[in-house]
Amino acid sequence: MPTYKFNYFDSRGLVQISRQMFILSGTPFEDNRIPKEQWPELKKTMPFGTMPVLEVDGKQIPQSLAIARYLAKEFGETIRFNTPNPIDNHKILTLHTICKEKIEVEAWVDAIADQAMDLFAEIRPYFMVAMGAVPGDKEQMKKDVALPALEKHFGYLEKVASKNGSNGHLVGSSLTFVDLMVSEFVTTFSQFFPSLTDSYPAVAAVKTKTINTPKLKEWIEKRP
């Protein structure tokens, strides 16, 4: 088994979904939470001068979404791109059909992840002001930036989750890394917008089902 070392600050951010995949898959890893005062020196050793960086047997993989996609494939039995059942309505599907459906599902998982990142990019200026990282009018940014971004992108996510049957998953019928990703976004955004999911019940169901996954629920209750 490879050895994994996950480098990030002592915070959740976009990396939490990767930590969760380690927990759900039962894979040992070093959760290297770097003090901010050590960062200026360590920054020089990172491929793009940023974190997170995952080390796999000492080899570095940067960028949060690239890491998440890598781990989703590595831990395929637990956090998987859903593979269609080869028997559908008593008809054995051809290998070509099975592969084609799997590719389409993988594409949708990737598309939702990219869409969620678009949301993050649009709403980030609001959070920079809200948390005091940059100067600005918090209430004005909320009105002009945050609320329009949430309404637009959560509207998209609600349509996707509803079309998937409002079953607590965004794609298919089992956990994928985009369920983790959207659940984490809901958790963070709801701290600033408590009634966020009132208008998006299918998205709320994704969060509820995800955080109640037994291994994840246990970890959330005692995580740093």
CSV table of all heavy atoms in Angstrom, one decimal, residues 17-27 68-82 109 174-181 210 213 215-216:
chain,number,residue,atom,x,y,z
A,17,ILE,N,-12.8,17.4,1.7
A,17,ILE,CA,-13.3,16.2,1.0
A,17,ILE,C,-12.3,15.1,0.8
A,17,ILE,O,-12.6,13.9,0.9
A,17,ILE,CB,-13.9,16.6,-0.3
A,17,ILE,CG1,-12.9,17.3,-1.3
A,17,ILE,CG2,-15.2,17.4,-0.1
A,17,ILE,CD1,-13.5,17.5,-2.7
A,18,SER,N,-11.0,15.5,0.6
A,18,SER,CA,-9.9,14.5,0.5
A,18,SER,C,-9.7,13.8,1.8
A,18,SER,O,-9.5,12.6,1.9
A,18,SER,CB,-8.7,15.1,-0.1
A,18,SER,OG,-8.9,15.5,-1.4
A,19,ARG,N,-9.6,14.6,2.9
A,19,ARG,CA,-9.5,14.0,4.2
A,19,ARG,C,-10.6,13.0,4.5
A,19,ARG,O,-10.4,11.9,5.0
A,19,ARG,CB,-9.5,15.0,5.3
A,19,ARG,CG,-8.3,15.9,5.4
A,19,ARG,CD,-8.3,16.8,6.6
A,19,ARG,NE,-7.1,17.7,6.7
A,19,ARG,CZ,-7.2,19.0,6.8
A,19,ARG,NH1,-8.4,19.6,6.7
A,19,ARG,NH2,-6.1,19.7,6.9
A,20,GLN,N,-11.8,13.3,4.1
A,20,GLN,CA,-13.0,12.5,4.3
A,20,GLN,C,-12.8,11.2,3.5
A,20,GLN,O,-13.3,10.1,3.9
A,20,GLN,CB,-14.2,13.2,3.9
A,20,GLN,CG,-14.6,14.3,4.9
A,20,GLN,CD,-15.7,15.2,4.4
A,20,GLN,OE1,-16.2,15.1,3.2
A,20,GLN,NE2,-16.2,16.1,5.3
A,21,MET,N,-12.2,11.2,2.3
A,21,MET,CA,-12.1,10.0,1.5
A,21,MET,C,-11.1,9.1,2.2
A,21,MET,O,-11.3,7.8,2.1
A,21,MET,CB,-11.7,10.4,0.1
A,21,MET,CG,-12.8,10.9,-0.8
A,21,MET,SD,-12.5,11.0,-2.5
A,21,MET,CE,-11.8,12.6,-2.6
A,22,PHE,N,-10.1,9.6,2.8
A,22,PHE,CA,-9.2,8.7,3.6
A,22,PHE,C,-9.9,8.0,4.7
A,22,PHE,O,-9.8,6.8,4.9
A,22,PHE,CB,-8.0,9.5,4.1
A,22,PHE,CG,-6.9,9.8,3.2
A,22,PHE,CD1,-6.6,11.1,2.8
A,22,PHE,CD2,-6.1,8.8,2.7
A,22,PHE,CE1,-5.6,11.4,1.9
A,22,PHE,CE2,-5.1,9.1,1.8
A,22,PHE,CZ,-4.8,10.4,1.4
A,23,ILE,N,-10.8,8.8,5.4
A,23,ILE,CA,-11.5,8.2,6.5
A,23,ILE,C,-12.5,7.2,6.0
A,23,ILE,O,-12.6,6.1,6.6
A,23,ILE,CB,-12.2,9.4,7.3
A,23,ILE,CG1,-11.3,10.4,7.8
A,23,ILE,CG2,-13.1,8.8,8.4
A,23,ILE,CD1,-10.2,9.8,8.7
A,24,LEU,N,-13.3,7.5,5.0
A,24,LEU,CA,-14.3,6.6,4.5
A,24,LEU,C,-13.7,5.3,4.0
A,24,LEU,O,-14.3,4.2,4.1
A,24,LEU,CB,-15.1,7.3,3.4
A,24,LEU,CG,-16.1,8.3,4.0
A,24,LEU,CD1,-16.6,9.2,2.8
A,24,LEU,CD2,-17.3,7.6,4.6
A,25,SER,N,-12.5,5.4,3.3
A,25,SER,CA,-11.9,4.2,2.8
A,25,SER,C,-11.1,3.4,3.8
A,25,SER,O,-10.6,2.3,3.5
A,25,SER,CB,-11.0,4.6,1.6
A,25,SER,OG,-9.9,5.4,2.1
A,26,GLY,N,-10.9,4.0,5.0
A,26,GLY,CA,-10.1,3.3,6.0
A,26,GLY,C,-8.6,3.3,5.7
A,26,GLY,O,-7.9,2.4,6.1
A,27,THR,N,-8.2,4.3,4.9
A,27,THR,CA,-6.8,4.3,4.4
A,27,THR,C,-5.9,5.2,5.4
A,27,THR,O,-6.2,6.3,5.6
A,27,THR,CB,-6.7,4.9,3.0
A,27,THR,OG1,-7.5,4.1,2.1
A,27,THR,CG2,-5.2,4.8,2.5
A,68,ALA,N,-8.5,15.3,-5.1
A,68,ALA,CA,-9.8,14.7,-4.8
A,68,ALA,C,-10.1,13.7,-5.9
A,68,ALA,O,-10.6,12.5,-5.7
A,68,ALA,CB,-10.9,15.7,-4.7
A,69,ARG,N,-9.9,14.0,-7.2
A,69,ARG,CA,-10.2,13.1,-8.3
A,69,ARG,C,-9.3,11.9,-8.2
A,69,ARG,O,-9.7,10.8,-8.5
A,69,ARG,CB,-10.1,13.9,-9.6
A,69,ARG,CG,-11.2,14.8,-9.9
A,69,ARG,CD,-11.0,15.6,-11.1
A,69,ARG,NE,-12.2,16.3,-11.6
A,69,ARG,CZ,-12.3,17.5,-12.1
A,69,ARG,NH1,-11.2,18.2,-12.3
A,69,ARG,NH2,-13.5,18.0,-12.4
A,70,TYR,N,-8.0,12.1,-7.9
A,70,TYR,CA,-7.1,11.1,-7.8
A,70,TYR,C,-7.5,10.1,-6.7
A,70,TYR,O,-7.5,8.8,-6.9
A,70,TYR,CB,-5.7,11.6,-7.5
A,70,TYR,CG,-4.6,10.6,-7.1
A,70,TYR,CD1,-4.0,9.9,-8.2
A,70,TYR,CD2,-4.3,10.3,-5.8
A,70,TYR,CE1,-3.0,8.9,-7.8
A,70,TYR,CE2,-3.4,9.3,-5.5
A,70,TYR,CZ,-2.7,8.6,-6.5
A,70,TYR,OH,-1.8,7.7,-6.2
A,71,LEU,N,-7.9,10.6,-5.5
A,71,LEU,CA,-8.2,9.7,-4.4
A,71,LEU,C,-9.5,9.0,-4.7
A,71,LEU,O,-9.7,7.8,-4.3
A,71,LEU,CB,-8.3,10.5,-3.1
A,71,LEU,CG,-7.0,11.1,-2.6
A,71,LEU,CD1,-7.3,11.9,-1.4
A,71,LEU,CD2,-6.0,10.0,-2.3
A,72,ALA,N,-10.5,9.6,-5.4
A,72,ALA,CA,-11.7,9.0,-5.8
A,72,ALA,C,-11.5,7.8,-6.6
A,72,ALA,O,-12.2,6.7,-6.5
A,72,ALA,CB,-12.6,10.0,-6.5
A,73,LYS,N,-10.5,7.8,-7.5
A,73,LYS,CA,-10.2,6.7,-8.3
A,73,LYS,C,-9.4,5.6,-7.5
A,73,LYS,O,-9.6,4.4,-7.7
A,73,LYS,CB,-9.5,7.1,-9.6
A,73,LYS,CG,-10.3,8.0,-10.5
A,73,LYS,CD,-9.6,8.5,-11.7
A,73,LYS,CE,-10.5,9.4,-12.5
A,73,LYS,NZ,-9.7,10.0,-13.7
A,74,GLU,N,-8.5,6.1,-6.7
A,74,GLU,CA,-7.7,5.2,-5.9
A,74,GLU,C,-8.5,4.3,-4.9
A,74,GLU,O,-8.3,3.2,-4.7
A,74,GLU,CB,-6.6,5.9,-5.1
A,74,GLU,CG,-5.5,6.4,-5.9
A,74,GLU,CD,-4.6,5.3,-6.5
A,74,GLU,OE1,-4.0,4.6,-5.7
A,74,GLU,OE2,-4.7,5.1,-7.7
A,75,PHE,N,-9.5,5.0,-4.3
A,75,PHE,CA,-10.4,4.4,-3.3
A,75,PHE,C,-11.7,4.0,-3.9
A,75,PHE,O,-12.8,4.1,-3.3
A,75,PHE,CB,-10.6,5.3,-2.1
A,75,PHE,CG,-9.3,5.8,-1.5
A,75,PHE,CD1,-9.3,7.0,-0.9
A,75,PHE,CD2,-8.1,5.1,-1.6
A,75,PHE,CE1,-8.1,7.5,-0.3
A,75,PHE,CE2,-7.0,5.5,-1.0
A,75,PHE,CZ,-6.9,6.8,-0.4
A,76,GLY,N,-11.7,3.4,-5.1
A,76,GLY,CA,-12.9,3.2,-5.9
A,76,GLY,C,-14.0,2.3,-5.3
A,76,GLY,O,-15.1,2.4,-5.6
A,77,GLU,N,-13.6,1.5,-4.3
A,77,GLU,CA,-14.6,0.6,-3.7
A,77,GLU,C,-15.5,1.4,-2.7
A,77,GLU,O,-16.6,1.0,-2.4
A,77,GLU,CB,-14.0,-0.6,-3.0
A,77,GLU,CG,-13.4,-1.6,-3.9
A,77,GLU,CD,-14.4,-2.1,-4.9
A,77,GLU,OE1,-15.5,-2.5,-4.5
A,77,GLU,OE2,-14.1,-2.2,-6.1
A,78,THR,N,-15.1,2.5,-2.2
A,78,THR,CA,-15.8,3.2,-1.2
A,78,THR,C,-16.3,4.6,-1.8
A,78,THR,O,-17.5,4.9,-1.7
A,78,THR,CB,-15.0,3.5,0.0
A,78,THR,OG1,-14.5,2.3,0.5
A,78,THR,CG2,-15.8,4.2,1.1
A,79,ILE,N,-15.4,5.3,-2.4
A,79,ILE,CA,-15.8,6.6,-3.0
A,79,ILE,C,-15.7,6.4,-4.5
A,79,ILE,O,-14.6,6.6,-5.1
A,79,ILE,CB,-14.9,7.7,-2.5
A,79,ILE,CG1,-14.7,7.7,-1.0
A,79,ILE,CG2,-15.4,9.1,-3.0
A,79,ILE,CD1,-16.0,7.9,-0.3
A,80,ARG,N,-16.7,6.0,-5.1
A,80,ARG,CA,-16.5,5.5,-6.5
A,80,ARG,C,-17.3,6.4,-7.5
A,80,ARG,O,-18.3,7.0,-7.2
A,80,ARG,CB,-16.9,4.1,-6.6
A,80,ARG,CG,-18.4,3.8,-6.3
A,80,ARG,CD,-18.7,2.3,-6.5
A,80,ARG,NE,-20.0,1.9,-6.1
A,80,ARG,CZ,-20.3,1.5,-4.9
A,80,ARG,NH1,-19.4,1.5,-4.0
A,80,ARG,NH2,-21.6,1.2,-4.6
A,81,PHE,N,-16.8,6.4,-8.7
A,81,PHE,CA,-17.6,6.8,-9.8
A,81,PHE,C,-18.6,5.6,-10.1
A,81,PHE,O,-18.1,4.5,-10.3
A,81,PHE,CB,-16.8,7.0,-11.1
A,81,PHE,CG,-15.9,8.2,-11.0
A,81,PHE,CD1,-14.5,8.0,-11.2
A,81,PHE,CD2,-16.3,9.4,-10.6
A,81,PHE,CE1,-13.6,9.1,-11.1
A,81,PHE,CE2,-15.5,10.5,-10.5
A,81,PHE,CZ,-14.1,10.3,-10.8
A,82,ASN,N,-19.9,5.8,-9.9
A,82,ASN,CA,-20.8,4.7,-10.0
A,82,ASN,C,-20.7,3.9,-11.3
A,82,ASN,O,-20.7,4.5,-12.3
A,82,ASN,CB,-22.2,5.2,-9.8
A,82,ASN,CG,-22.5,5.9,-8.5
A,82,ASN,OD1,-21.7,5.7,-7.6
A,82,ASN,ND2,-23.4,6.8,-8.5
A,109,VAL,N,-19.9,13.5,-12.9
A,109,VAL,CA,-19.3,13.7,-11.6
A,109,VAL,C,-18.3,14.8,-11.7
A,109,VAL,O,-18.2,15.8,-10.9
A,109,VAL,CB,-18.6,12.4,-11.0
A,109,VAL,CG1,-17.7,12.7,-9.8
A,109,VAL,CG2,-19.7,11.4,-10.7
A,174,SER,N,-25.0,5.9,-5.1
A,174,SER,CA,-24.0,5.6,-4.1
A,174,SER,C,-23.0,6.8,-4.0
A,174,SER,O,-23.0,7.7,-4.9
A,174,SER,CB,-23.2,4.3,-4.3
A,174,SER,OG,-22.5,4.4,-5.6
A,175,LEU,N,-22.3,6.9,-2.9
A,175,LEU,CA,-21.5,8.1,-2.6
A,175,LEU,C,-20.3,8.3,-3.6
A,175,LEU,O,-19.6,7.4,-4.0
A,175,LEU,CB,-20.8,7.9,-1.2
A,175,LEU,CG,-20.2,9.1,-0.5
A,175,LEU,CD1,-21.3,10.1,-0.2
A,175,LEU,CD2,-19.5,8.7,0.7
A,176,THR,N,-20.3,9.6,-4.1
A,176,THR,CA,-19.1,10.0,-5.0
A,176,THR,C,-18.5,11.2,-4.3
A,176,THR,O,-19.1,11.8,-3.4
A,176,THR,CB,-19.6,10.3,-6.4
A,176,THR,OG1,-20.5,11.4,-6.4
A,176,THR,CG2,-20.3,9.1,-7.1
A,177,PHE,N,-17.4,11.6,-4.8
A,177,PHE,CA,-16.7,12.7,-4.2
A,177,PHE,C,-17.4,14.0,-4.3
A,177,PHE,O,-17.2,14.9,-3.5
A,177,PHE,CB,-15.2,12.8,-4.6
A,177,PHE,CG,-15.0,13.5,-5.9
A,177,PHE,CD1,-14.8,14.9,-6.0
A,177,PHE,CD2,-14.9,12.8,-7.1
A,177,PHE,CE1,-14.6,15.5,-7.2
A,177,PHE,CE2,-14.6,13.4,-8.3
A,177,PHE,CZ,-14.5,14.8,-8.4
A,178,VAL,N,-18.3,14.2,-5.3
A,178,VAL,CA,-19.1,15.4,-5.4
A,178,VAL,C,-20.1,15.5,-4.3
A,178,VAL,O,-20.5,16.6,-4.0
A,178,VAL,CB,-19.7,15.6,-6.8
A,178,VAL,CG1,-18.6,16.0,-7.8
A,178,VAL,CG2,-20.5,14.5,-7.3
A,179,ASP,N,-20.6,14.4,-3.8
A,179,ASP,CA,-21.5,14.4,-2.7
A,179,ASP,C,-20.8,15.0,-1.5
A,179,ASP,O,-21.3,15.9,-0.8
A,179,ASP,CB,-22.0,13.0,-2.3
A,179,ASP,CG,-23.0,12.4,-3.4
A,179,ASP,OD1,-23.6,13.2,-4.1
A,179,ASP,OD2,-23.0,11.2,-3.5
A,180,LEU,N,-19.6,14.6,-1.3
A,180,LEU,CA,-18.7,15.1,-0.2
A,180,LEU,C,-18.5,16.6,-0.4
A,180,LEU,O,-18.5,17.4,0.5
A,180,LEU,CB,-17.4,14.4,-0.1
A,180,LEU,CG,-17.4,12.9,0.2
A,180,LEU,CD1,-16.1,12.3,0.1
A,180,LEU,CD2,-18.0,12.7,1.6
A,181,MET,N,-18.2,17.0,-1.6
A,181,MET,CA,-17.8,18.4,-2.0
A,181,MET,C,-19.0,19.3,-1.7
A,181,MET,O,-18.9,20.3,-1.1
A,181,MET,CB,-17.4,18.4,-3.4
A,181,MET,CG,-16.8,19.7,-3.9
A,181,MET,SD,-16.3,19.6,-5.6
A,181,MET,CE,-15.4,21.2,-5.8
A,210,THR,N,-25.0,12.4,3.4
A,210,THR,CA,-23.5,12.3,3.4
A,210,THR,C,-22.9,12.3,4.8
A,210,THR,O,-22.1,11.5,5.1
A,210,THR,CB,-22.9,13.4,2.5
A,210,THR,OG1,-23.3,13.3,1.2
A,210,THR,CG2,-21.4,13.4,2.5
A,213,THR,N,-23.3,9.2,6.9
A,213,THR,CA,-22.5,8.0,6.6
A,213,THR,C,-21.7,7.5,7.8
A,213,THR,O,-21.0,8.4,8.4
A,213,THR,CB,-21.6,8.2,5.4
A,213,THR,OG1,-22.3,8.7,4.3
A,213,THR,CG2,-20.8,6.9,5.0
A,215,LYS,N,-19.0,6.0,9.1
A,215,LYS,CA,-17.6,6.3,9.3
A,215,LYS,C,-17.4,7.8,9.4
A,215,LYS,O,-16.6,8.4,10.2
A,215,LYS,CB,-16.7,5.7,8.3
A,215,LYS,CG,-16.5,4.2,8.5
A,215,LYS,CD,-15.5,3.7,7.4
A,215,LYS,CE,-15.2,2.2,7.6
A,215,LYS,NZ,-14.2,1.8,6.6
A,216,LEU,N,-18.1,8.5,8.5
A,216,LEU,CA,-17.9,10.0,8.4
A,216,LEU,C,-18.5,10.7,9.6
A,216,LEU,O,-18.0,11.6,10.1
A,216,LEU,CB,-18.5,10.5,7.1
A,216,LEU,CG,-18.2,11.9,6.7
A,216,LEU,CD1,-16.7,12.2,6.6
A,216,LEU,CD2,-18.8,12.3,5.3
